[in-house]
Amino acid sequence: MTPDRRSFLAAGGATVAGMLTGEFARADDSVAKAFIDNHVSKIRPLEIAGNRAWWDANISGKDEDFKKKEDAQNKIDAALAEKGPFETIKALKKEKDAGTITDRLVARQVELLYLQYLEKQVEPSLLKKLTNKSNAV
């Protein structure tokens, strides 16, 4: 990794999407790892809250707990539906498919995250309707 890229990653001031344009047009393992780390820090708290809400709703059976579960899932869906991160993971997947990302674990994580983001690339109101219906069941 070049010193410029190292300092860019260490600075943390720019987005991962910016790393895939201009000077950083080709992804490597460090760019993918930066995206994965950013994803985990953003999504992990939402998933923990969602899982706790799921547990509470299924244990209590209360409507208000199911509403909390639905709200938590809607937050996760909204985060995964964002266009910017999806464009970044789509570019990373292309790089993975081209063999630029050499770490097999990172490549697998890119593949799984791409699929996770891809399924949420629909109208936000549709995602909310799907969550609502699944809670009703």
Side-chain angles (χ1 to χ4, degrees), residues 7-24:
S7 61
F8 181 80
L9 290 171
T15 65
V16 176
M19 297 164 67
L20 293 173
T21 61
E23 181 182 350
F24 301 102

Side-chain angles (χ1 to χ4, degrees), residues 79-108:
L80 295 173
E82 290 179 12
K83 298 297 181 202
F86 178 65
E87 290 303 318
T88 302
I89 195 65
K90 191 163 53 168
L92 287 169
K93 183 181 181 309
K94 285 181 185 175
E95 292 296 324
K96 177 205 71 89
D97 292 345
T100 307
I101 297 174
T102 56
D103 184 315
R104 289 176 33 189
L105 179 60
V106 172
R108 179 68 176 148

Side-chain angles (χ1 to χ4, degrees), residues 108-119:
R108 179 68 176 148
Q109 290 170 328
V110 166
E111 183 71 28
L112 293 175
L113 287 177
Y114 171 75
L115 294 172
Q116 190 177 20
Y117 278 88
L118 179 63
E119 76 175 355

Side-chain angles (χ1 to χ4, degrees), residues 1-71:
M1 179 184 333
T2 66
D4 287 338
R5 188 171 280 192
R6 242 190 318 273
S7 61
F8 181 80
L9 290 171
T15 65
V16 176
M19 297 164 67
L20 293 173
T21 61
E23 181 182 350
F24 301 102
R26 303 260 324 151
D28 64 10
D29 293 357
S30 63
V31 176
K33 286 177 186 177
F35 179 85
I36 292 164
D37 290 344
N38 185 48
H39 168 84
V40 168
S41 69
K42 180 179 174 182
I43 300 297
R44 178 179 282 162
L46 298 174
E47 287 184 340
I48 290 171
N51 288 331
R52 286 184 175 149
W54 177 90
W55 179 263
D56 291 342
N58 284 289
I59 293 300
S60 74
K62 296 178 183 176
D63 288 341
E64 60 267 17
D65 287 338
F66 275 97
K67 177 65 176 142
K68 289 178 187 175
K69 175 183 169 281
E70 184 176 339
D71 292 343

